[in-house]
Amino acid sequence: DVKVTQSSRYLVKRTGEKVFLECVQDMDHENMFWYRQDPGLGLRLIYFSYDVKMKEKGDIPEGYSVSREKKERFSLILESASTNQTSMYLCASSMIRVNTEAFFGQGTRLTVV
Amino acid sequence: DAKTTQPNSMESNEEEPVHLPCNHSTISGTDYIHWYRQLPSQGPEYVIHGLTSNVNNRMASLAIAEDRKSSTLILHRATLRDAAVYYCILRARLAGGTSYGKLTFGQGTILTVHP
């Protein structure tokens, strides 16, 4: 069974903390994505990576950075967490060919207090 | 990036067909049309995709307008398990290449299915 695994389902962090959200896929996919989902705003793309060490900004990259040192792992980093980063974070992966689907993890509910 | 426009919500009765529309008037010639859905408390899941021709799979059908500026996801017989948020997405080519990369979601359509 194909899998995208996010390291935590629920996370509570304090304002100003450095936060790492980890995502691992076991399908040898080239593409990996980080989204955040907020009520009424749908899914918004934060960052996208199409290869190891390669990244592209999505629609809302401010306040976030990413790391992709290995093909199977894509990390989202909040350098200094703020309360407006409280959200559901979703990771996804896909092959780079067009006629393939993206697979999503179950999400991490991050609360910054 | 080309954007999509979907109705905020739609309702259907169980076992009736559902037609979910999507407008994408600025679509480029190489953009593929993808549909995903998100069940409550789950990550999105793939439904179907296409380029120009209509497509069918076990979950749904995708009807694409001749000018490609709109498409319709068709659920032939809605069930209560089909209640979800449905997203229409345009998948663009990576710059300078022939590979496809990011998926940019819109707000989606909340589908309610009544027993």
Side-chain angles (χ1 to χ4, degrees):
Chain A
D1 211 14
V2 296
K3 252 207 177 115
V4 177
T5 303
Q6 295 184 227
S7 52
S8 307
R9 285 299 300 272
Y10 300 95
L11 213 50
V12 180
K13 295 291 181 181
R14 295 195 180 278
T15 301
E17 274 193 79
K18 190 169 186 175
V19 181
F20 292 86
L21 302 183
E22 306 285 348
C23 176
V24 177
Q25 50 95 3
D26 63 1
M27 297 164 280
D28 201 35
H29 285 170
E30 296 87 356
N31 293 329
M32 296 189 75
F33 313 84
W34 273 108
Y35 296 88
R36 67 176 280 177
Q37 184 168 33
D38 301 288
L41 296 176
L43 275 82
R44 293 180 291 169
L45 182 65
I46 305 172
Y47 267 98
F48 155 62
S49 169
Y50 55 91
D51 201 353
V52 174
K53 297 191 188 296
M54 305 302 289
K55 62 186 180 186
E56 273 191 25
K57 292 180 180 179
D59 297 322
I60 51 164
E62 296 79 18
Y64 302 94
S65 62
V66 289
S67 172
R68 189 151 181 218
E69 297 295 318
K70 293 186 177 181
K71 192 176 185 180
E72 67 270 18
R73 187 179 295 270
F74 192 35
S75 302
L76 180 69
I77 304 156
L78 288 66
E79 294 289 340
S80 178
S82 64
T83 54
N84 63 11
Q85 292 178 310
T86 291
S87 185
M88 171 68 82
Y89 290 86
L90 288 154
C91 175
S93 73
S94 76
M95 295 186 73
I96 210 159
R97 296 192 308 271
V98 68
N99 57 345
T100 56
E101 63 201 88
F103 294 87
F104 282 79
Q106 286 295 94
T108 297
R109 171 76 62 187
L110 172 67
T111 303
V112 182
V113 298
Chain B
D1 290 339
K3 300 293 184 192
T4 62
T5 304
Q6 300 176 253
N8 289 335
S9 62
M10 290 186 67
E11 297 188 18
S12 173
N13 293 319
E14 208 174 4
E15 300 197 0
E16 289 184 356
V18 181
H19 291 236
L20 296 163
C22 181
N23 287 319
H24 29 79
S25 57
T26 59
I27 191 171
S28 76
T30 55
D31 287 349
Y32 271 71
I33 302 157
H34 283 241
W35 283 81
Y36 283 72
R37 73 179 186 181
Q38 187 173 19
L39 303 171
S41 303
Q42 295 189 25
E45 63 177 359
Y46 168 83
V47 177
I48 201 166
H49 78 276
L51 183 63
T52 55
S53 303
N54 294 344
V55 183
N56 300 297
N57 66 21
R58 63 175 179 80
M59 289 181 72
S61 296
L62 176 60
I64 301 172
E66 201 168 327
D67 63 5
R68 301 212 326 127
K69 293 186 177 181
S70 66
S71 60
T72 302
L73 179 71
I74 303 164
L75 307 178
H76 296 286
R77 289 183 65 195
T79 70
L80 296 178
R81 288 191 299 273
D82 291 322
V85 181
Y86 285 80
Y87 296 97
C88 171
I89 300 155
L90 299 181
R91 194 171 195 192
R93 235 178 220 180
L94 289 174
T98 56
S99 300
Y100 285 76
K102 63 183 179 180
L103 286 162
T104 303
F105 286 71
Q107 296 209 30
T109 297
I110 300 170
L111 176 65
T112 302
V113 181
H114 299 289

